[in-house]
Amino acid sequence: MSTNDTYYIPHKATWPVIGTGGLVMTLAGFANYLNGSAIGSTLMVLGLVIFIIMLTGWFTLQAGESESGMYSTQVGISYRMGMMWFIFSEIMFFGVFFGTLWYTRNLSVPWLGGAGTGAATNELLWPSFNATWPTNGPGKVGGDFEPMGAWGLPFLNTLILLSSGVTVTWAHHGLLAKNRAQLIKGLIATVVLGFSFVSFQAYEYHEAYTEMGLTLGSGIYGSTFFMLTGFHGFHVCVGAIILSVVLFRSWKGHFKPENHFAFEAAAWYWHFVDVVWLGLFIFVYLM
Amino acid sequence: MSAIVAEHEHDHHEHGPAKGLLRWVITTNHKDIGTLYLVFALAMFFVGGSMAMIIRAELFEPGMQFVNPQFFNSMTTMHALVMVFGAVMPAFVGLANWMIPMMIGAPDMALPRMNNMSFWMLVAGVLLLASTLFMEGGAPASGWTLYPPLVLQTGTALPFAIFSVHLLGISSIMGAINIIATIFNMRAPAMTLMKMPLFVWTWLITAFLLIAIMPVFAGAVTMLLTDRFFNTSFFDAAGGGDPVLYQHIFWFFGHPEVYVMILPTFGVASTIIPVFARKRLFGYSSMVYATASIAFLSFIVWAHHMFTVGMPIAGELYFMYATMLIAIPTGVKVFNWTATMWKGSMTFETPMLFSIAFVVLFTMGGFTGLMMSVAPADFQYHDTYFIVAHFHYTLVPASVFILMAAGYYWLPKWTGNMYDERIGQLHFWLSTISVNILFFPQHFLGLAGMPRRIPDYAVQFADWNMISSIGGFIFGASQLLFLYIVIDTIKGGTGIKATDEVWEDAHKHGLEWTLPSPPPYHTFTTPPAVVPTEHEHI
């Protein structure tokens, strides 16, 4: 009756409920913090710690099971499908913010400027508003600001992310060719490039806030700019952390040419983050 | 690392559940998790139902009776959120967990640990939502759509409600990923896609919808959060944003979301009706294609919820015609259910009664939907009780009735005991009569101009409101019968043990009826060699 020769069915999982507890504590803490309650930040940090312990524990468990050969090909397919559909959900999440940018730039801001028929907002409320992009709206919310150009740091960051896509593929080739040195070197390069991207973006944000008057509160331009690039930057961080774990596991001798789901998942995720950035570079910075 | 491996090798030799209450916390078994979902959904059905009772009590007579307007609006909001995210969706996920592995001949769900997590995320999300009832400023009172700017006036509750939506979204996405991986990767070799029971097909498509829309809702509420707390201007025209943008995003989520609740309903109906008509399902492949078409159309019709918001005329026309298209695949389905029953040797046990009532009453809800798709006509219906009547017809005598049908249909399989058929039929007739007394008059109220989400009304609406409330109280009370039957059946019911196939010749329709009643803790550890099919041509 053993299920494990065909499909590995784990029994009695404790990490899921611990992780849920950690996450709900983090969110309840954050909500309390936003409402100005004193216990908010403590609760949030505590929840995050529990959540990180869960991640560490659960992934250690999975890595151990994988290395001991408990996962059949069929189990591997389930994991791959899981990752694929997770990335699809992420695409939809970013789609919301790209859609927001498109809608405001092409529809609602021109309507505020008097375009279209039947909209009286312009005449009645803001007759002097001239619809252009970038804008912080007829109320000049957040005050004067300078929009972010494309050809300085953002372009450098584009080159960095594109190169990191190459290095991670190079690492993958190393893994497939049983060339562990190439695998580790490729991963180190990818992680370094990933964290450099994040550092440059942090510098860019610093410039925006201190020199350019561009903040999250700078009307719809600031809102869409920081929301899109911010969520993307967060995903780069997560991706780089995942790759660091993969690097650590490679260094410990994990992964075989025929069994390295964690590497693949990390690489897929990294390419996804890469493609989102190209969209950002074109629609947020260039156009 | 070796210690961990050893611990799990030890685990392999334990095939029963853990002892005590902890079993339900750490279980990875699809049947246990299915039970958790179903019990949780039933509990939330009564929580959400109590809120509906408060609403109907307040509307029993014109004037202010029991609650203040703010609390009334909290009740309409929370009733909707609890019923959608706490009752109907989890109930169908529960059925999916219990039935899909057994229907496709799989040992369990593809990702059992994640399965456990998606259940507990659901509980966490609903608890966070429920906690807002006790907060300063009250629970959200903006309607379940959470439209800005109104929702931004919510008190302390706002961030809690938003984060609860995030948790519910994570739960749904994990559940949906699991269902897709299970169906694609875990089928018995003989179970080809076009042999799968319709319930499995509809859930496959529903799972795809969930993964596509839950992140969209998460994005929308995240922007509400930043607009309120971080000075963004997404939904504020002064900063160049647009409150209507929220409505577009919300309904891009919201329209597929209502199909998340109806597609599995279709699936269960398509599973039950052939068994009691003693025929194969009429038009199996057209059912599959119709389900896929409905799912596709659900993504391109969202702004029919916004006909009166001030869209360009081209938008009104496009969304009107696109919406009307949905009637075609839906009509195919209703035709097929009817044709399945045509000249069948039918018997009318409780699951079949609920399924027939579903076909008739859902069709009614569908027709009022068609009326509202006509943009100029919708200017009269918009935000009135006509809308309330419409979507309650598609949710209560459709989704909820089919959930009841599923309960009666599978309870003997789950528990090994037969339920009391007399009380089941009593429950059916009381529910069916009262649900029409409850919702049918709301059509008249809406056409006469009574607005939704208002605790008081003009005296001209008094009669129909009183009748509707009486229907509501009878309907609410009748559901206690269902609770009684469930508990009674679990405890042994009529004392009659269920046979393996429970319903005559059911094994010709589904693999679950080839298993013992109740099925052992682990089933199909080796895949079955032969599988039944509804498909006429195989």
Side-chain angles (χ1 to χ4, degrees):
Chain A
M1 280 288 281
S2 170
T3 52
N4 123 46
D5 22 12
T6 48
Y7 199 90
Y8 173 57
I9 310 279
H11 301 287
K12 297 170 193 160
T14 41
W15 290 118
V17 72
I18 294 172
T20 306
L23 189 59
V24 78
M25 204 187 269
T26 310
L27 291 175
F30 190 28
N32 272 307
Y33 166 79
L34 291 173
N35 286 329
S37 154
I39 58 155
S41 40
T42 320
L43 205 59
M44 203 165 118
V45 172
L46 206 63
L48 266 180
V49 169
I50 295 175
F51 193 73
I52 290 167
I53 291 172
M54 177 278 288
L55 285 177
T56 317
W58 195 340
F59 280 113
T60 309
L61 173 66
Q62 296 278 134
E65 288 177 355
S66 175
E67 285 307 305
S68 65
M70 285 155 81
Y71 299 160
S72 63
T73 320
Q74 198 187 3
V75 177
I77 293 172
S78 289
Y79 288 155
R80 281 167 183 78
M81 281 184 180
M83 191 64 195
M84 215 173 70
W85 288 101
F86 167 65
I87 290 177
F88 175 67
S89 79
E90 291 269 51
I91 292 171
M92 293 306 292
F93 184 74
F94 275 98
V96 176
F97 302 109
F98 277 109
T100 298
L101 177 65
W102 180 85
Y103 178 91
T104 49
R105 266 188 89 155
N106 297 302
L107 297 175
S108 66
V109 168
W111 289 337
L112 280 175
T117 50
T121 327
N122 180 265
E123 287 163 47
L124 298 178
L125 285 178
W126 294 296
S128 62
F129 177 62
N130 188 16
T132 51
W133 189 267
T135 181
N136 53 357
K140 300 209 181 310
V141 172
D144 289 335
F145 69 92
E146 202 184 317
M148 191 60 76
W151 296 111
L153 275 184
F155 183 63
L156 178 63
N157 264 348
T158 308
L159 295 180
I160 288 176
L161 265 199
L162 287 178
S163 325
S164 73
V166 175
T167 53
V168 80
T169 307
W170 187 66
H172 196 190
H173 283 296
L175 171 54
L176 293 177
K178 295 189 178 171
N179 184 344
R180 193 133 302 246
Q182 181 180 334
L183 166 65
I184 289 174
K185 273 188 239 159
L187 279 173
I188 291 175
T190 314
V191 170
V192 168
L193 287 169
F195 283 116
S196 327
F197 175 94
V198 178
S199 317
F200 283 131
Q201 196 178 17
Y203 180 72
E204 181 195 32
Y205 277 18
H206 180 74
E207 289 279 289
Y209 265 77
T210 54
E211 310 284 325
M212 301 161 73
L214 175 60
T215 69
L216 194 55
S218 300
I220 191 66
Y221 177 77
S223 306
T224 49
F225 175 82
F226 283 105
M227 201 70 146
L228 274 161
T229 57
F231 268 118
H232 175 262
F234 172 71
H235 280 75
V236 176
C237 280
V238 172
I241 292 169
I242 296 174
L243 283 168
S244 310
V245 174
V246 169
L247 170 62
F248 175 72
R249 287 185 58 189
S250 305
W251 172 72
K252 292 257 289 183
H254 290 196
F255 305 129
K256 289 187 259 320
E258 66 284 351
N259 175 24
H260 51 274
F261 162 70
F263 183 98
E264 276 179 78
W268 289 350
Y269 194 77
W270 195 248
H271 289 309
F272 150 73
V273 166
D274 208 356
V275 171
V276 171
W277 174 258
L278 287 180
L280 288 180
F281 187 67
I282 294 167
F283 294 108
V284 176
Y285 290 96
L286 268 183
M287 289 173 72
Chain B
M1 212 112 338
S2 56
I4 291 152
V5 174
E7 179 193 313
H8 274 268
E9 273 165 1
H10 173 66
D11 260 13
H12 287 167
H13 303 290
E14 293 178 29
H15 287 291
K19 297 278 179 288
L21 273 182
L22 195 62
R23 162 183 176 179
W24 300 102
V25 179
I26 60 173
T27 182
T28 54
N29 181 284
H30 73 103
K31 298 183 185 79
D32 281 356
I33 294 175
T35 304
L36 284 170
Y37 266 108
L38 289 169
V39 169
F40 183 77
L42 189 60
M44 287 304 120
F45 178 64
F46 285 102
V47 172
S50 312
M51 293 171 178
M53 294 300 109
I54 294 172
I55 294 168
R56 280 325 311 172
E58 179 57 48
L59 293 174
F60 188 72
E61 281 179 337
M64 301 306 298
Q65 256 70 240
F66 304 106
V67 295
N68 65 51
Q70 167 79 22
F71 186 74
F72 180 88
N73 286 343
S74 286
M75 282 297 103
T76 57
T77 308
M78 295 295 277
H79 162 71
L81 290 170
V82 168
M83 284 302 200
V84 170
F85 293 105
V88 176
M89 285 170 67
F92 278 117
V93 180
L95 292 179
N97 262 298
W98 248 105
M99 301 320 300
I100 288 177
M102 278 160 61
M103 284 177 154
I104 63 173
D108 205 300
M109 296 293 280
L111 303 159
R113 286 185 183 125
M114 195 169 78
N115 205 11
N116 174 297
M117 196 175 201
S118 66
F119 174 74
W120 289 109
M121 287 278 188
L122 165 77
V123 176
V126 172
L127 285 180
L128 212 54
L129 185 68
S131 72
T132 64
L133 279 166
F134 309 99
M135 283 175 192
E136 209 183 314
S142 58
W144 80 288
T145 54
L146 310 174
Y147 279 178
L150 183 60
V151 73
L152 298 175
Q153 297 172 15
T154 309
T156 337
L158 186 68
F160 290 92
I162 287 173
F163 293 144
S164 113
V165 167
H166 285 135
L167 287 172
L168 295 170
I170 296 171
S171 162
S172 291
I173 291 169
M174 290 197 301
I177 288 175
N178 212 345
I179 285 169
I180 292 185
T182 305
I183 296 174
F184 277 139
N185 194 32
M186 303 286 286
R187 295 193 317 278
M191 181 63 77
T192 57
L193 283 176
M194 289 310 267
K195 280 187 184 174
M196 293 194 311
L198 243 289
F199 177 69
V200 181
W201 258 114
T202 51
W203 243 117
L204 177 65
I205 293 166
T206 303
F208 168 75
L209 290 185
L210 277 172
I211 302 179
I213 61 172
M214 294 313 294
V216 174
F217 193 21
V221 296
T222 304
M223 288 191 274
L224 288 178
L225 187 82
T226 58
D227 266 18
R228 163 83 174 258
F229 293 103
F230 298 99
N231 304 323
T232 57
S233 304
F234 290 111
F235 308 129
D236 176 9
D242 184 2
V244 177
L245 169 63
Y246 177 86
Q247 302 188 16
H248 280 292
I249 302 172
F250 179 84
W251 287 112
F252 183 85
F253 147 79
H255 199 74
E257 166 65 23
V258 299
Y259 289 5
V260 164
M261 293 183 281
I262 205 67
L263 293 184
T265 306
F266 292 167
V268 176
S270 309
T271 306
I272 292 178
I273 290 173
V275 172
F276 294 92
R278 290 167 181 74
K279 281 174 66 187
R280 277 180 173 158
L281 181 70
F282 183 88
Y284 174 91
S285 8
S286 69
M287 283 299 215
V288 174
Y289 300 137
T291 311
S293 310
I294 294 172
F296 169 73
L297 288 171
S298 75
F299 281 105
I300 57 169
V301 296
W302 74 88
H304 65 216
H305 297 266
M306 305 160 55
F307 279 145
T308 63
V309 87
M311 273 190 299
I313 196 78
E316 302 266 326
L317 286 171
Y318 162 73
F319 284 107
M320 173 166 95
Y321 291 126
T323 302
M324 288 174 174
L325 281 180
I326 301 171
I328 297 169
T330 313
V332 168
K333 285 186 162 286
V334 174
F335 179 88
N336 285 348
W337 291 318
T338 317
T340 304
M341 288 187 267
W342 179 254
K343 290 189 174 174
S345 20
M346 301 214 288
T347 50
F348 300 93
E349 287 86 350
T350 315
M352 185 60 164
L353 288 173
F354 272 108
S355 300
I356 295 172
F358 152 76
V359 175
V360 175
L361 298 175
F362 170 74
T363 305
M364 196 126 75
F367 276 138
T368 52
L370 202 54
M371 288 170 71
M372 298 180 317
S373 73
V374 182
D378 185 66
F379 273 64
Q380 183 190 353
Y381 313 142
H382 190 89
D383 246 345
T384 69
Y385 257 84
F386 193 79
I387 306 291
V388 177
H390 157 73
F391 68 71
H392 278 96
Y393 261 92
T394 62
L395 282 172
V396 183
S399 294
V400 172
F401 267 32
I402 280 297
L403 285 167
M404 298 298 171
Y408 287 108
Y409 184 58
W410 282 311
L411 256 182
K413 172 57 63 185
W414 296 334
T415 61
N417 303 317
M418 284 308 283
Y419 62 88
D420 190 328
E421 184 65 37
R422 274 180 329 133
I423 306 182
Q425 301 217 356
L426 179 68
H427 173 223
F428 167 75
W429 285 109
L430 280 173
S431 299
T432 305
I433 294 167
S434 62
V435 86
N436 283 292
I437 301 174
L438 164 59
F439 292 120
F440 208 78
Q442 296 182 1
H443 291 113
F444 312 143
L445 289 168
L447 290 177
M450 179 171 161
R452 315 163 61 172
R453 293 169 177 158
I454 304 282
D456 191 8
Y457 49 83
V459 282
Q460 60 186 348
F461 303 129
D463 292 351
W464 287 124
N465 264 302
M466 192 176 283
I467 292 170
S468 176
S469 286
I470 291 169
F473 300 144
I474 302 174
F475 183 77
S478 312
Q479 302 323 304
L480 296 172
L481 277 178
F482 184 68
L483 183 64
Y484 167 77
I485 290 173
V486 171
I487 295 172
D488 183 58
T489 311
I490 293 171
K491 287 167 70 181
T494 50
I496 302 168
K497 289 287 164 204
T499 59
D500 289 358
E501 71 170 10
V502 184
W503 313 107
E504 191 186 10
D505 284 344
H507 70 276
K508 291 179 184 163
H509 297 273
L511 274 179
E512 73 266 36
W513 307 111
T514 63
L515 294 167
S517 306
Y521 198 58
H522 292 290
T523 42
F524 292 127
T525 40
T526 48
V530 188
V531 301
T533 175
E534 298 285 359
H535 206 298
E536 304 266 358
H537 308 295
I538 292 175

